[in-house]
Amino acid sequence: MWWMMGEAGGHYCSKKTDDICGGVCSQEPGRFFSFSRLCCALRGVDMKTYIFLLVIVPTCVLAGYVHGQKISYFLRPLWESPPKPFHDIPHYYHENASMETLCKLHGWGVREYPRRVYDAVLFSNELDILAVRWRELFPYITQFVLLESNTTFTGLPKPLVFAAHRDEFKFIESRLTYGTVGGRFVKGQNPFYEEAYQRVALDQLLRIAGITDDDLLLMSDVDEIPSRHTINLLRWCDEIPKILHLRLKNYLYSFEFLVDSKSWRASVHRYETGKTRYAHYRQSDEILADAGWHCSFCFRRISEFIFKMKAYSHNDRVRFGHFLNPKRVQRVICKGADLFDMLPEEYTFKEIIGKMGPIPHSFSAVHLPSYLLENADKYRFLLPGNCIRETE
């Protein structure tokens, strides 16, 4: 009967062996042999290897998924070289010094009359910081130029926020050129394409505003605020560089968290018809030291933080849904930590390690925009010691 069982059952093995799978290793594949084939594949594997395969490997994969971005940023010095250093121009200023003296200290001549100055920005929803910016620059700006879209760079629909609050900016109405542009974001497209498209539209709006050759054009985001004395210096001095970047103090969430003094994207251009294009990248090697403030993610309400995290060009940094939890956002702000749980974007291990962890609290409100201090009750959330944000 045993030979009949072998023919009928197809899996009986009369050979004695210590390997319970030994009799089936040579059988034809079938749906009843999945476990048997696994036994055969793992035959001879010791316990340490089992632990490695079932515990260590999945743990490493999970860690790579959760912290892969951190690992990539930490190893950045291995795969990316630092950019060419700027040529820093020392910045001289004192309220009692004459303009002739200040221009001479910079190696420039002084003009008989000041240049016209155009301030051009793309606007999303930063009403508070826009008010601080325009009040700071108001005495020396010929024309304020603002372009607003009905979508974010990532294609999210949004209301025309400035249009709805235009009455709050009546003080610049006679000097305002305002325009709107419809978003054209295509799903799956890089958000930077939409951003570039809107900057081209801003070029057209500048021409409508009446900019001409040798006028000064300030290119910067709303939250990159040059000091008024910097703009006054550049409009009065002759022989300044055709393109000059501005080095700004870099703040996060408010003027309580000073990150460094390395913000450089803001720039001032001596306008040339047909040549000057509005951009937000490096366009020159010249940079003027200590020229203002960059206050990134400086919002009044938690909802504004969450909106920007989802709306701006780097929205891919929102890797997990809990990053947008309002309670988490509030904790991160007061701690001075990173909303996206990222390591510093630096080019040397020394700088990366030196900036790891929360930003130290600063208790200085010296040399900040004057309008901010004159209206401290309204803008207290931007001053040291006031990290709690409105929840509505």
Side-chain angles (χ1 to χ4, degrees), residues 97-283:
S98 69
M99 190 56 66
E100 183 177 5
T101 298
L102 293 175
C103 290
K104 183 178 180 180
L105 285 169
H106 290 85
W108 304 324
V110 64
R111 295 169 56 89
E112 293 183 4
Y113 56 89
R115 291 183 180 87
R116 301 194 307 169
V117 185
Y118 285 72
D119 177 38
V121 294
L122 293 177
F123 181 79
S124 178
N125 68 329
E126 313 96 326
L127 287 169
D128 288 305
I129 209 71
L130 179 68
V132 173
R133 176 195 183 89
W134 279 357
R135 289 287 186 176
E136 173 69 16
L137 298 177
F138 180 77
Y140 305 126
I141 300 298
T142 305
Q143 196 74 8
F144 295 92
V145 181
L146 183 146
L147 181 68
E148 183 173 25
S149 176
N150 62 355
T151 69
T152 68
F153 294 151
T154 56
L156 297 176
K158 79 172 191 68
L160 297 176
V161 178
F162 180 82
H165 293 82
R166 189 165 178 168
D167 287 347
E168 298 174 20
F169 297 90
K170 287 183 178 179
F171 69 98
I172 53 93
E173 187 63 38
S174 63
R175 290 191 254 163
L176 174 64
T177 300
Y178 170 68
T180 61
V181 61
R184 56 167 199 165
F185 181 82
V186 178
K187 186 176 182 180
Q189 178 178 278
N190 189 317
F192 287 100
Y193 285 108
E194 177 65 21
E195 182 176 346
Y197 165 70
Q198 292 188 24
R199 295 191 189 280
V200 170
L202 192 51
D203 277 328
Q204 299 173 353
L205 193 60
L206 278 163
R207 289 192 286 272
I208 294 173
I211 195 168
T212 57
D213 286 350
D214 208 43
D215 289 340
L216 291 186
L217 171 57
L218 173 56
M219 298 183 187
S220 67
D221 284 349
V222 171
D223 57 8
E224 297 167 337
I225 308 173
S227 61
R228 64 173 59 166
H229 68 77
T230 295
I231 298 304
N232 196 34
L233 174 77
L234 296 176
R235 76 190 189 115
W236 271 106
C237 294
D238 212 356
E239 303 163 2
I240 65 173
K242 289 186 176 181
I243 301 176
L244 180 64
H245 282 275
L246 304 178
R247 192 177 294 285
L248 311 178
K249 291 182 179 177
N250 207 8
Y251 293 88
L252 188 64
Y253 310 141
S254 73
F255 292 100
E256 179 173 351
F257 297 104
L258 176 60
V259 180
D260 55 34
S261 297
K262 294 183 177 182
S263 179
W264 57 266
R265 291 185 179 273
S267 58
V268 175
H269 300 241
R270 290 165 53 189
Y271 189 82
E272 295 182 69
T273 302
K275 185 174 181 180
T276 303
R277 294 288 183 269
Y278 195 96
H280 198 234
Y281 50 76
R282 182 166 175 169
Q283 302 175 72

Side-chain angles (χ1 to χ4, degrees), residues 343-387:
L343 290 180
E345 297 182 74
E346 298 293 348
Y347 295 93
T348 68
F349 289 115
K350 180 180 179 180
E351 290 176 318
I352 292 173
I353 295 171
K355 286 187 176 181
M356 288 175 66
I359 305 165
H361 294 254
S362 168
F363 300 98
S364 172
V366 179
H367 302 305
L368 296 182
S370 60
Y371 180 73
L372 178 61
L373 299 180
E374 291 164 357
N375 296 269
D377 288 340
K378 182 177 181 180
Y379 297 105
R380 193 164 297 281
F381 70 97
L382 291 175
L383 297 172
N386 298 279
C387 68

